[in-house]
Amino acid sequence: MSPPGRPEGECGRAQPEGTPENESRRSATAKANGGARARAAAVLFDLDGTLVDSAPDLAGAANDLRAEHGLPPLPFELLRPMASAGARGLLGVAFGVAPGEAGFDVLRDAFLARYAGRLLRCTRIFDDVAPVLGALAGAGLPWGIVTNKATRYAEPVLQGLGLRAQAAALVCGDTTAYAKPHPAPLHEAARRLGMAAEDCVYVGDDLRDVQAGRAAGMATLVAAWGYLGQGDAVHEWGADAVLSEPGALLNWLGLP
């Protein structure tokens, strides 16, 4: 369902639970497996595609830009998988250009300008994520966010959704000298939490999240309710587990 006051056609989302698409995805992803793991001291999350469903606004910005270029809109289902890759991924689908190619920088700036104008038009917290965050707080486990999204976009989204005050740490794509898959942002988040990196677990929906987490020495979990990109199957990413829905994180942590 779209947030109140927002048209369903504009804020199109992935098919709801119980549809063939999601049943197929559920059968292809592991639920929390093998009993309780050693309890982590903190949980770090990716943002887009893990904590929040921002694909409708990111895809909307891409289609807004296509319209300005006289091109028809692309189906949401075609754009959604690349939402975690931001401008790079969405412009690759919407315009067939990649970083370093002619015209990419101009399109990127135009895309980001359009996205900045609709940060919270359709974006919302994923279903079942809020209870998980509440359970972590109840168990005394701090949680934070490590995202490649620039601070000027991440901060307003988190403030608007009521998540910023809850997060014990926020590291954005421009916080350190490197972005994921480099481990520096995750090391910085652990430092801000006052934790050793190996005492944290990182949850994300992109291969880069797993690569960054492993490089940082953290346990890594795939959020299979997210966007997942285009490429290898998630079970080939090398994560410690693939979680089919947010509540599976609590099972993996050994929390009630």
Side-chain angles (χ1 to χ4, degrees):
M1 177 180 294
S2 293
R6 298 171 183 170
E8 184 70 39
E10 182 181 13
C11 298
R13 299 189 183 275
Q15 291 181 301
E17 292 294 324
T19 63
E21 177 182 338
N22 279 312
E23 290 300 325
S24 175
R25 172 170 290 179
R26 183 180 294 114
S27 67
T29 55
K31 293 184 181 294
N33 51 4
R37 301 300 191 271
R39 183 170 297 186
V43 180
L44 296 171
F45 295 95
D46 175 48
L47 181 58
D48 301 279
T50 301
L51 284 184
V52 305
D53 187 8
S54 53
D57 282 321
L58 288 161
N63 274 331
D64 289 346
L65 190 56
R66 279 179 60 88
E68 293 182 19
H69 285 257
L71 299 171
L74 293 176
F76 176 66
E77 292 75 15
L78 186 63
L79 293 166
R80 183 183 189 272
M82 300 309 296
S84 284
R88 172 179 57 85
L90 289 162
L91 291 176
V93 175
F95 290 92
V97 295
E101 295 181 352
F104 177 84
D105 289 349
V106 172
L107 285 171
R108 179 199 59 207
D109 292 346
F111 166 80
L112 291 174
R114 281 142 192 82
Y115 176 57
R118 54 177 302 157
L119 290 174
L120 288 163
R121 187 179 304 178
C122 300
T123 294
R124 60 168 172 76
I125 302 171
F126 272 110
D127 294 340
D128 301 327
V129 162
V132 170
L133 299 180
L136 294 178
L141 260 67
W143 62 268
I145 298 166
V146 180
T147 175
N148 276 358
K149 203 181 198 80
T151 304
R152 66 184 182 276
Y153 307 121
E155 282 277 6
V157 168
L158 292 169
Q159 293 285 359
L161 296 176
L163 291 175
R164 183 63 187 95
Q166 301 178 47
L170 171 63
V171 175
C172 299
D174 51 359
T175 301
T176 69
Y178 302 96
K180 299 176 295 183
H182 197 281
L186 291 172
H187 284 147
E188 174 62 16
R191 186 193 68 80
R192 293 185 179 195
L193 291 173
M195 306 284 183
E198 57 266 27
D199 292 331
C200 302
V201 58
Y202 188 49
V203 186
D205 71 309
D206 192 88
L207 174 59
R208 292 176 303 169
D209 298 326
V210 175
Q211 292 170 332
R214 288 173 63 87
M218 298 181 182
T220 57
L221 307 175
V222 175
W225 60 89
Y227 306 143
L228 306 181
Q230 296 172 335
D232 295 335
V234 295
H235 286 95
E236 299 176 4
W237 290 359
D240 291 277
V242 177
L243 308 179
S244 61
E245 46 88 21
L249 172 61
L250 302 180
N251 296 335
W252 192 89
L253 292 168
L255 297 177

